[in-house]
Structure formats: structure tokens, C-alpha cells
């Protein structure tokens, strides 16, 4: 480390070598692993809450919705399953980033040579992963409760990451852009409430303006994709499922890009 | 006002000083709109009529030399954290320049992360990780590959005596242990410069010794330069090579602790603690009252040596002695220097 600094105004002859940057994928993996480990310390009670909330809603709805294949039963089961994703990836992640930003916790990452995308994607990925057990348990319970087929359950393996990307990107962006921590929490809660009301209730019973709101909510497309498969593979319109999943994926890319921009803005002023 | 009392800076030619400089700061200004937290400004765009803006840094000049343990001392609100956040690329200055190891950090704030190991005051990003994972993840994010990160983790945990706590989450540790674990994350992945914002807060003496020993090892082995932010005058006097005293966003003095103390060498500090009320009926005590800084039953006086001797004789020899609970006579500390230089805060800590 040699330095020749002849004064701030003049150009420097030799500058000290810079340490290498951390690569995108290694640092994404490191952030993902670290975030996932937080589940053991902080997240497990909340994951139970997310699952019990969805199962509770389904039990409640069982009183007014008939079992067997039908739009209402599909909506309730698919909506409740995706609600777990919304609870964790949207609501909890908005709260986490809001808290991190308010408390100065982002400084830790901002003073390391790590690409912003790896922090956002690693954290969002971990939160989406937290939702896997709860979503599966909710979906299986729902299918049994409403006598729906379990044959289409595999589609959750696509729904969870894609809806997880869309909702966690949105959650991260809300948490990082909200001017105050309380507002981040509020926005996360509102997003989850919207996913609950607009996902669980059958769309055909909604007034047209509410359906427009439902159409702009990214969780809707995850709900739709899963709901379409609940009638059994014979009656599933696979092209529509693929289209719904594509919307989730596209929204995921956009919202994660927005969250990365929001992170840059929040981390360095 | 930039006061330089040092032998190094006045005696050495400018060019020699500049050649040694690892970090050169000139005319650094950072202003916050009033009502914002200087350390962490919010993004709120308030529409309320804003009071006059606050200059958290008001023309700061610094030269930090290679291998130095350089301190930034000042009470809370003096602008220390704002200065450090600009040095670490977290905050853009309104005006001024920062050159670190030949790199212009105002133009390229992202380079700070590749030159500096930083210990901030907050640990929220790490609180729910185990000590081992916090160190390993930070090493990975400093660009080390997986085996190197694991090796760096093990080495630093052993060095700081943290190995028995490796599997415990930071939030379940005591304040001092948590601080030490955060310090460990600042050390993994060698950097030529360490910036430590109040690293020993809440630590017991054993942990403090571990911190200073680790810092010394890096200075000896790699010539690491250390910038230390503190409001603890005892620590500043014992560990620092040079110290910049910050008050209301300005450097009011910059020199070795000994040279700064020499500024007030003809004074001593006399602390008198009364049992109850001070016996103001005694003329000698009444005469001291206007000179004293009074905090409850404690009077602090900064007096010329002969005057202090006379005052001690008066209060210990006459009727005032019955009312006296305790007294101490001490050589001046950096706190006395700070006050003698016109420092207006009272937030320095002696512990």
C-alpha cells in the first residue's frame, strides 16, 4: 500500500489498490443463507401465524361455501394459500426493510463492496422461501376441507417462487421507499389485507371497480394460476395458467428492479 | 477556525506531511434541514416552514497519516458521525474533498467499501445472526471466497475470544459482547483503513483490551490506519496517536493528546464534593463559587496550580472541611482542553 498524495487538488500519482468487489452470485448466496438462518431466531412464530391465519380463514369460509369443485371453493383455497406468501413476502419484508432503514442497519451492507441487487434478491429470496411450508400446509388442508383434487398441487412449486418474487419485490420496495418505519408497516399490512380480500373472495361476485383493483394486484395472478388447477388436470386451462405465471414473473422482475433502485437510494445519500 | 498546535504539523514540511497522508479532508461541509437526525436523515420532504438549517460539518480539515490511530473526539451532536458517514461513502458532502489512499471519495463514494473496514453504531442487520455467521457473511460480502471467509471467521473469533459465543445470535448477547461481535465483523477481510465508531461502548475491560490488542496487531503487521470516533476522554488519552477535537461541526484542535493537554498544563482540575449544601458562610468557599461548574453537590474548578493549592488548603484546613465529603486534584484531561478551547457541549465521558 503506497500512497503518493501531493494534495487534494492535484491528481494522484499512485492510488492504493482497491480490494475486489464481492460478486453478485456469491454475495446473493451469502445474504440468502444469512437471512434464512434468521428464521430460527425470529421468524418461526410468524410463520405459524401466517399459516394459522390462512387455515382459520378457510375454516370460516367453509361455513358459507360448499365443498366440491366450484369457483368459490377454488378461490378460497387458492386465495388462502397465496395469502401466506403475501403475509410473509409482502408484509413481513416491508416491515423488515422499513426497520432496517430506520435503524441504520442498511449501513452494514452499504459499507461493504456488495452489489445492491444481491442484498435485495437474497433477502427477498429468503422471505419467499419462508413461505414454502406454510403455503403447502394451507393448500393441502384447503383441498381436503373443500374436497378438491391434490393433483395440481405441484403448480405451487411455480406459484410460490413467482408470486414470491412479485410480492417480496413489492414488499422490499415499500419498506425501502416509505418515509417512515410506521408507514412501511402500514403499507405492508394494507397490501396483505388487499391480497386477503381480493384473493379469497370469488372475482365474479365483485363489482367492476373492485375487479380492476384485483387485476393490478400481483398476488391475483398467483391465486388465479393455482385456482385453475384445483379442478383436476382434465379441466385445467394450462395456457391461462402459464399466462398468469408469466404475469407474476414479469411483475417480479419489475418490482425487484424497483426494490434494488430503492435500496440504492436508501443506502447512500 | 482550525487550530493546529502540533509539533508534527508545524515542524514537518508540508510535502512530507502530505506524502504520509492516508486520508486528507479539506473544507468538508454537510448541512441538514432542521429537525432531521444528523446521523440518519430521513427522506421526508416536509412542507412545514423549515427553521434554519443545521451545519453538522462546517469546514472540516483533517490529515490522517499512515499507520496512525487517529481519534475524532467530541460530545454528542458535534458532527462526528456525520463526518464518518461521509468518509465511508454513506453520505455525500455538500462541499469539500475527501481523499483516501489516493482515491477521491466524493467523486467515487463506492470505493470506500473497498478500502475501509467500518464499524458503525448499529447492529440491526446482524442481530438475528449467530456470531459465526455474522462474521462469515460479512467476510463473503467483503469479497472473500467461501474457504477464505471461513478461515477469516475462525481466526477473528479466536483472536477476540469470541469462539465460545460463536453459535449464539447477537441479540441474545450482552451489550458489550454484541459490540465485540460487531467489531469482529469489521475486522474480517483485511482493509488498509479501519473506521470505528465508538467501538468499545458497553464493553468490560477484558473486551476493551481485546479490541486494542487486535487493532495494534493490525497496525504492526499491516500498517493499518485506524480512525476512531469517541466521546470518551480517558480512552482518547490512552490509545490515540493524535486526536481531532470536534465542536459544533468544526475541528477546534488537532494534535497528540499530550500536546493538547500541554495547552492547559498550567491549570489543574479541583473537584469538591460537599456532604450537603456548600458552606457559603465560609469566605474562601464563597469566593470559589463563581469559578465553579456546579453539578448537584459537586463543584468542578479549573484553576492555576498555585491558586488550586491555596484553595485545597483553605477548604481542608478551616471550618469548610466539616462540610466536605470528598475532593480530588487532577492534571487536566482532554475534557479540560475541550472546554479551554471554547467547546460548548458537555457530553464528553470519563469512563
Amino acid at each position: 500500500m503506497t500512497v503518493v498524495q501531493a494534495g487534494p487538488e492535484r491528481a494522484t500519482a499512485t492510488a492504493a489498490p482497491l480490494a475486489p468487489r464481492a460478486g453478485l452470485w456469491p454475495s446473493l448466496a451469502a445474504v440468502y443463507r444469512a437471512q434464512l438462518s434468521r428464521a430460527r431466531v425470529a421468524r418461526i412464530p410468524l410463520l405459524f401465524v401466517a399459516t394459522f391465519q390462512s387455515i382459520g380463514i378457510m375454516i370460516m369460509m367453509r361455513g358459507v361455501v360448499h365443498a366440491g369443485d366450484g369457483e368459490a371453493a377454488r378461490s378460497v383455497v387458492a386465495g388462502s394459500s397465496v395469502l401466506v406468501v403475501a403475509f410473509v413476502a409482502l408484509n413481513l419484508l416491508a416491515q423488515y426493510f422499513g426497520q432496517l432503514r430506520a435503524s441504520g442497519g442498511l449501513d452494514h451492507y452499504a459499507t461493504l463492496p456488495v452489489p445492491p441487487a444481491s442484498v435485495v434478491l437474497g433477502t427477498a429470496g429468503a422471505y419467499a422461501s419462508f413461505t414454502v411450508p406454510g403455503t403447502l400446509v394451507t393448500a393441502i388442508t384447503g383441498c381436503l376441507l373443500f374436497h378438491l383434487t391434490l393433483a395440481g398441487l405441484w403448480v405451487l412449486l411455480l406459484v410460490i417462487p413467482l408470486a414470491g418474487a412479485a410480492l417480496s419485490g413489492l414488499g422490499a420496495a415499500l419498506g425501502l421507499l416509505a418515509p417512515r418505519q410506521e408507514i412501511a408497516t402500514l403499507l405492508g399490512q394494507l397490501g396483505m389485507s388487499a391480497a386477503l380480500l381480493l384473493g379469497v373472495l370469488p372475482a365474479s361476485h365483485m363489482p367492476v371497480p373492485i375487479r380492476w383493483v384485483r387485476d393490478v394486484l400481483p398476488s391475483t395472478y398467483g391465486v388465479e394460476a393455482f385456482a385453475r388447477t384445483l379442478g383436476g388436470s382434465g379441466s385445467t386451462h394450462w395456457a391461462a395458467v402459464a399466462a398468469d405465471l408469466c404475469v407474476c414473473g414479469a411483475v417480479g422482475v419489475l418490482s425487484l428492479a424497483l426494490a434494488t433502485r430503492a435500496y440504492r437510494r436508501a443506502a447512500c445519500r | 477556525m482550525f487550530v493546529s498546535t502540533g509539533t508534527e504539523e508545524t515542524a514537518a514540511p508540508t510535502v512530507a506531511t502530505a506524502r504520509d497522508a492516508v486520508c486528507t479532508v479539506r473544507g468538508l461541509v454537510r448541512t441538514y434541514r432542521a429537525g432531521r437526525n444528523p446521523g440518519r436523515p430521513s427522506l421526508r420532504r416536509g412542507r412545514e416552514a423549515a427553521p434554519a438549517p443545521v451545519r453538522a460539518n462546517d469546514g472540516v480539515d483533517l490529515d490522517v497519516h499512515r499507520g496512525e490511530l487517529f481519534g475524532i473526539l467530541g460530545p454528542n451532536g458535534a458532527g462526528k458521525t456525520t463526518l464518518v458517514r461521509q468518509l465511508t461513502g454513506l453520505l455525500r458532502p455538500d462541499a469539500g474533498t475527501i481523499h483516501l489512499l489516493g482515491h477521491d471519495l466524493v467523486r467515487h463514494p463506492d470505493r470506500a467499501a473497498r478500502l475501509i473496514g467500518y464499524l458503525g453504531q448499529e447492529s440491526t442487520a446482524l442481530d438475528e445472526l449467530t456470531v459465526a455467521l455474522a462474521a462469515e457473511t460479512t467476510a463473503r460480502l467483503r469479497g472473500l471466497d467461501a474457504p477464505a471467509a471461513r478461515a477469516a471467521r475462525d481466526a477473528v473469533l479466536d483472536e477476540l475470544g469470541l469462539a465460545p459465543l460463536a453459535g449464539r445470535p447477537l441479540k441474545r448477547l450482552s451489550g458489550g459482547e454484541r459490540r465485540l461481535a460487531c467489531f469482529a465483523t469489521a475486522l474480517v477481510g483485511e482493509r488498509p483503513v479501519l473506521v470505528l465508531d465508538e467501538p468499545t461502548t458497553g464493553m468490560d475491560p477484558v473486551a476493551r483490551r481485546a479490541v486494542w490488542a487486535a487493532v495494534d496487531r493490525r497496525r504492526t503487521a499491516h500498517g493499518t490506519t485506524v480512525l476512531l470516533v469517541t466521546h470518551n476522554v480517558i480512552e482518547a488519552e490512552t490509545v490515540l496517536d493524535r486526536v481531532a477535537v470536534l465542536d459544533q461541526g468544526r475541528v477546534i484542535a488537532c494534535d497528540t493528546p499530550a500536546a493538547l493537554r500541554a495547552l492547559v498544563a498550567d491549570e489543574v482540575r479541583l473537584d469538591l464534593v460537599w456532604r450537603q449544601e456548600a458552606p457559603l458562610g465560609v469566605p474562601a468557599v464563597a469566593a470559589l463559587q463563581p469559578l465553579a461548574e456546579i453539578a448537584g453537590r459537586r463543584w468542578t474548578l479549573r484553576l492555576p496550580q498555585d491558586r488550586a493549592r491555596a484553595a485545597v488548603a483553605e477548604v481542608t484546613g478551616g471550618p469548610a472541611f466539616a462540610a466536605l465529603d470528598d475532593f480530588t486534584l487532577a492534571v487536566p484531561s482532554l475534557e479540560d482542553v475541550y472546554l479551554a478551547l471554547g467547546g460548548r457541549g458537555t457530553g464528553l465521558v470519563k469512563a
Side-chain angles (χ1 to χ4, degrees):
Chain A
M1 182 184 67
T2 43
V3 185
V4 178
Q5 168 83 59
E9 300 82 12
R10 277 175 263 175
T12 53
T14 53
L18 294 165
R21 290 177 201 277
L24 173 69
W25 294 107
S27 42
L28 194 158
V31 171
Y32 178 81
R33 180 175 164 224
Q35 290 292 338
L36 214 55
S37 84
R38 292 177 56 233
R40 270 183 299 176
V41 180
R43 294 273 84 90
I44 282 182
L46 290 169
L47 300 185
F48 275 113
V49 171
T51 311
F52 288 149
Q53 173 185 266
S54 287
I55 292 177
I57 287 167
M58 289 192 302
I59 292 171
M60 210 166 62
M61 295 300 281
R62 184 66 184 80
V64 290
V65 173
H66 292 296
D69 190 22
E71 189 207 1
R74 289 182 187 196
S75 278
V76 171
V77 175
S80 301
S81 304
V82 175
L83 178 62
V84 179
V85 183
F87 183 97
V88 177
L90 176 66
N91 181 25
L92 294 186
L93 190 56
Q95 288 184 34
Y96 176 68
F97 269 122
Q99 180 220 353
L100 211 55
R101 181 166 168 263
S103 65
L106 285 181
D107 290 359
H108 179 72
Y109 294 114
T111 51
L112 296 169
V114 45
S118 62
V119 177
V120 173
L121 293 177
T123 311
Y127 272 71
S129 305
F130 292 153
T131 70
V132 173
T135 309
L136 289 176
V137 168
T138 307
I140 293 168
T141 311
C143 287
L144 296 175
L145 205 60
F146 285 88
H147 306 164
L148 296 170
T149 172
L150 290 164
L153 221 58
W154 63 268
V155 87
L156 279 179
L157 296 178
L158 295 170
V159 169
I160 294 173
L162 293 172
L167 291 170
S168 60
L170 202 61
L174 290 176
L176 290 165
L177 290 172
R180 288 211 309 274
Q181 188 184 350
E182 302 76 33
I183 295 180
T185 304
L186 182 76
L187 292 174
Q189 297 275 8
L190 284 177
M192 188 190 69
S193 303
L196 163 63
L197 294 172
L198 303 175
V200 171
L201 300 177
S204 61
H205 297 200
M206 293 177 184
V208 175
I210 302 289
R211 260 192 259 176
W212 292 339
V213 179
R214 185 178 184 273
D215 287 347
V216 297
L217 201 68
S219 63
T220 301
Y221 298 91
V223 174
E224 294 269 319
F226 183 38
R228 286 180 206 279
T229 65
L230 287 174
S233 52
S235 60
T236 301
H237 186 358
W238 289 107
V241 172
D244 285 332
L245 291 176
C246 285
V247 174
C248 276
V251 174
V253 169
L254 289 177
S255 65
L256 287 167
L258 174 69
T260 303
R261 276 187 71 94
Y263 169 85
R264 267 182 220 275
R265 179 170 175 261
C268 183
R269 293 182 282 271
Chain B
M1 179 178 66
F2 181 76
V3 180
S4 180
T5 53
T7 46
E8 289 163 273
E9 295 196 356
T10 48
T14 318
V15 175
T17 307
R19 191 176 298 141
D20 282 332
V22 160
C23 178
T24 312
V25 175
R26 290 288 176 271
L28 206 65
V29 175
R30 173 71 199 202
T31 307
Y32 296 114
R33 270 175 283 171
R36 285 177 155 200
N37 177 345
R40 210 168 298 117
S42 78
L43 294 179
R44 178 161 35 159
R45 284 157 173 70
R47 279 190 212 122
E48 61 269 27
V54 178
R55 280 203 161 194
N57 281 174
D58 191 4
V60 171
D61 295 342
L62 288 178
D63 288 287
V64 182
H65 304 156
R66 179 181 149 83
E68 239 183 351
L69 210 172
F70 186 92
I72 299 167
L73 176 75
N76 291 333
K80 305 186 296 290
T81 297
T82 300
L83 175 58
V84 162
R85 288 174 64 80
Q86 292 171 98
L87 292 176
T88 50
L90 290 169
L91 201 61
R92 278 181 199 279
D94 297 332
T97 60
I98 303 168
H99 285 83
L100 183 74
L101 291 164
H103 298 274
D104 181 346
L105 290 191
V106 175
R107 194 176 297 166
H108 306 288
D110 55 308
R111 291 187 188 172
R114 299 166 71 186
L115 296 166
I116 294 174
Y118 173 60
L119 172 66
Q121 290 192 22
E122 290 298 334
S123 63
T124 38
L126 303 172
D127 273 349
E128 286 155 350
L129 306 184
T130 63
V131 174
L133 191 57
E136 187 186 336
T137 305
T138 308
R140 293 285 277 142
L141 300 184
R142 270 206 187 100
L144 271 59
D145 61 28
R150 280 195 293 274
R153 170 200 71 191
D154 293 342
V156 81
L157 296 190
D158 285 341
E159 181 183 7
L160 297 175
L162 282 168
L165 303 177
R168 298 203 15 215
L170 265 73
K171 69 189 294 187
R172 307 234 171 101
L173 301 178
S174 73
E177 289 169 337
R178 182 159 57 219
R179 199 74 191 128
L180 192 60
C182 291
F183 176 66
T185 67
L187 295 185
V188 288
E190 283 308 324
R191 289 288 188 263
V193 179
L194 290 173
V195 176
L196 310 173
D197 196 344
E198 303 191 357
T200 56
T201 306
M203 283 186 190
D204 63 23
V206 177
R208 280 174 198 240
R209 272 199 295 279
V211 167
W212 299 126
V215 165
D216 275 344
R217 270 191 290 275
R218 276 154 188 78
R219 293 174 67 201
T220 309
H222 309 292
T224 305
T225 306
V226 184
L227 251 84
L228 173 79
V229 176
T230 183
H231 61 248
N232 183 326
V233 289
I234 302 295
E235 197 163 78
E237 285 173 17
T238 48
V239 304
L240 296 178
D241 296 327
R242 284 195 309 142
V243 56
V245 183
L246 221 63
D247 183 58
Q248 303 206 341
R250 290 163 173 269
V251 177
I252 59 172
C254 181
D255 209 328
T256 62
L260 287 179
R261 281 214 309 265
L263 284 177
V264 288
D266 54 339
E267 286 193 347
V268 289
R269 192 178 68 242
L270 172 62
D271 282 301
L272 301 172
V273 184
W274 305 106
R275 289 181 193 280
Q276 287 161 355
E277 292 297 305
L280 294 172
V282 180
V285 175
L288 290 175
Q289 190 190 20
L291 307 173
E293 191 184 297
I294 299 173
R297 296 184 297 123
R298 175 182 291 271
W299 288 17
T300 301
L301 297 123
R302 289 177 178 80
L303 301 168
Q305 289 171 14
D306 50 346
R307 178 78 182 86
R309 268 195 299 275
V312 169
E314 284 160 5
V315 296
T316 56
F321 188 61
L324 198 61
D325 190 24
D326 190 18
F327 76 94
T328 49
L329 201 56
V331 293
S333 71
L334 283 180
E335 185 188 26
D336 302 295
V337 176
Y338 168 75
L339 292 169
L341 289 168
R344 282 157 285 188
T346 51
L348 293 174
V349 173
K350 289 171 281 182

